[in-house]
Amino acid sequence: MKAKILSRLPPEFPWQVQYFETLDSTNTCAKALARSGAPHGTAVLAACQTAGRGRLGRSFVSPRGGIYLSVLLRPCCTPDRLSHLTCAAAVAACDAVEKVTGLRPGIKWTNDLVCGGKKLAGILTELVTAGSDTAAIIGIGMNCSQSAEEFPPELQAMATSLSAATGQRQDPAFLAAALLEALAEMDRALFSGQQEMLERYRSGCITLGREVSLVQADTVRHGTALDILPDGALLVQLEDGSREAVNSGEVSVRGMYGYV
Ligand code: BTN
């Protein structure tokens, strides 16, 4: 698999790729590598994960057939300048999928890629700071070659894969190479291309204009998603007419993932 991935990358590809058949979590591995001084552009790929992690402390089911990739970046800036990183990674992941399949997923704010109203991929961005040094880990888990029946029954209504969405078997190695290339391109334009990236995020974001519910701590509020702010926050108009920039917590979109 590693040879197949590398053979799809240009010879001058600047990143170091580490490949594992099984890992607990590529993000956990990349964080450990960051702490031990691994360089900018260290990429960790696994064919499956035994303890994949998602946002909000959730686990991320990671069987074979998916792509589990974490990239370690050392962007030489303070953490407050990286608030758009998850949005940038989402746009890059959409570019990779479109390159391989011709199909462009939608983005459910902030970190899900969706096809046909079902989750195709999730992104978990984590920062590792040591003194004035900040390393960023971008972790992407994407369902690739699984058939619809392979998902556990409780996920079948909510999850899809590239093969299920396109009706054609998709090769995880091709997708992995495209993801690596798209993320390296994202890295090159991380600051110079921030505005253009945000425009592309907005135009692909299926959350905008939809009714949403916001779950923060133990309160649930309802509103309409209006915009994505420059730092990647979601601007929501609440039922009482007030507007709020949402950065955290669960945002459900009415009509998706079983929210009716
Ligand atoms: C989410 O949907 O909440 C985010 C899921 C992110 C999963 C990816 S898989 C590769 C990397 N390793 C992890 O443990 N998590 C991320």
Side-chain angles (χ1 to χ4, degrees), residues 25-27 49 52-55 60 70 111 119 122-123 140-141:
S25 152
T26 56
N27 263 37
Q49 298 182 122
R53 298 186 288 106
R55 270 181 84 229
F60 187 79
S70 298
N111 66 324
K119 179 162 174 163
I123 299 169
I140 301 180

Side-chain angles (χ1 to χ4, degrees), residues 102-130:
L103 178 88
R104 190 161 185 94
I107 303 169
K108 175 185 170 288
W109 186 90
T110 175
N111 66 324
D112 281 359
L113 267 53
V114 295
C115 281
K118 296 181 178 182
K119 179 162 174 163
L120 173 72
I123 299 169
L124 176 66
T125 304
E126 299 184 284
L127 298 183
V128 179
T129 46

Side-chain angles (χ1 to χ4, degrees), residues 33-109:
L33 289 168
R35 290 194 186 96
S36 60
H40 179 87
T42 301
V44 181
L45 266 160
C48 65
Q49 298 182 122
T50 54
R53 298 186 288 106
R55 270 181 84 229
L56 307 171
R58 296 181 182 142
S59 61
F60 187 79
V61 180
S62 312
R64 280 182 181 280
I67 284 291
Y68 312 102
L69 167 65
S70 298
V71 171
L72 159 60
L73 302 180
R74 296 191 183 275
C76 300
C77 67
T78 49
D80 55 298
R81 294 196 54 216
L82 293 173
S83 50
H84 64 299
L85 199 53
T86 301
C87 292
V91 171
C94 288
D95 289 345
V97 171
E98 189 174 19
K99 181 177 172 194
V100 171
T101 66
L103 178 88
R104 190 161 185 94
I107 303 169
K108 175 185 170 288
W109 186 90

Side-chain angles (χ1 to χ4, degrees), residues 207 210-214 221-225 236 251-253 259:
T207 308
R210 303 274 288 266
E211 280 182 60
V212 292
S213 81
L214 313 179
R221 294 174 301 158
H222 300 277
T224 304
V236 176
V251 174
S252 303
V253 178
Y259 168 40

Side-chain angles (χ1 to χ4, degrees), residues 176-252:
L179 277 171
L180 284 162
E181 273 204 275
L183 288 167
E185 184 54 41
M186 172 212 79
D187 175 45
R188 278 190 282 276
L190 192 56
F191 300 108
S192 61
Q194 188 169 348
Q195 284 203 352
E196 187 198 331
M197 178 283 293
L198 273 167
E199 274 314 310
R200 299 183 72 217
Y201 186 95
R202 286 188 186 102
S203 67
C205 182
I206 51 88
T207 308
L208 294 180
R210 303 274 288 266
E211 280 182 60
V212 292
S213 81
L214 313 179
V215 184
Q216 281 154 328
D218 38 14
T219 61
V220 182
R221 294 174 301 158
H222 300 277
T224 304
L226 296 180
D227 199 4
I228 308 294
L229 301 179
D231 66 353
L234 182 69
L235 182 67
V236 176
Q237 171 135 8
L238 294 166
E239 282 173 328
D240 65 4
S242 64
R243 291 181 174 196
E244 192 168 305
V246 179
N247 277 301
S248 60
E250 177 69 35
V251 174
S252 303

